[in-house]
Amino acid sequence: MMLLRCIRSENLKLRHSLIFPACILIPVIPAVMGTFNYLQNTGLLTEQWYSLWTQHTLFYASFFYAPLIALYCSYLWRLEHLNHNWNVFLTAPVTIPCLYLGKLAVIMKVTLITQLWVGTLYLFSGKIIGLPGQNLLLASPGNPGCRRNRHRPASVIHVNTKLFPSHRYCPDWQYSWHAAL
């Protein structure tokens, strides 16, 4: 119960902050760089979607991922460093591990949002430059969209027909926008 209160209080600190605009705007830079690099090297990068992914992650992981997490952490700890708030922090009627785990949970949430946004930018960039293939939740083994597996739980989500050719495993593949996680 205390941990949930700590998470709620940390979420309140982020309510009107500039973390979420940074979470959305900063990953656009490596997405543009990776897409541009892919377009400049299509002679060498022949695996289309996979090659685009390598270029996106090359720039994102090398230059932006660690600094973004550092930005999230430093912003969340900023209030504790202002106006002797460490005294309040350490004397709160909550255990210290709960305080730290609350901050960690919020940082993980913001990082997860960033990662989902990076994946969205990847799919959007691929469609903008005209890469072939259908994206987003195609019928797959285990997906109810495949008649052979109608009674199995949906457990596999395929993102791309080039990377994960689900139609090879299910002859009656079709678009399936429903999938249980």
Side-chain angles (χ1 to χ4, degrees), residues 41-97:
N41 296 304
T42 53
L44 295 172
L45 303 169
T46 59
E47 292 295 320
Q48 295 180 342
W49 283 98
Y50 179 74
S51 297
L52 179 64
W53 179 252
T54 60
Q55 297 308 300
H56 274 238
T57 56
L58 171 75
F59 291 107
Y60 177 67
S62 298
F63 303 117
F64 294 94
Y65 185 57
L68 266 175
I69 293 175
L71 174 75
Y72 301 155
C73 293
S74 66
Y75 189 86
L76 205 57
W77 282 99
R78 177 183 65 93
L79 290 177
E80 272 60 60
H81 290 285
L82 296 175
N83 301 325
H84 304 288
N85 283 341
W86 271 107
N87 296 335
V88 176
F89 183 77
L90 294 175
T91 57
V94 178
T95 62
I96 292 176

Side-chain angles (χ1 to χ4, degrees), residues 125-145:
S125 299
K127 281 301 181 186
I128 290 290
I129 62 173
L131 291 180
Q134 302 297 326
N135 293 329
L136 300 176
L137 304 182
L138 292 176
S140 63
N143 195 326

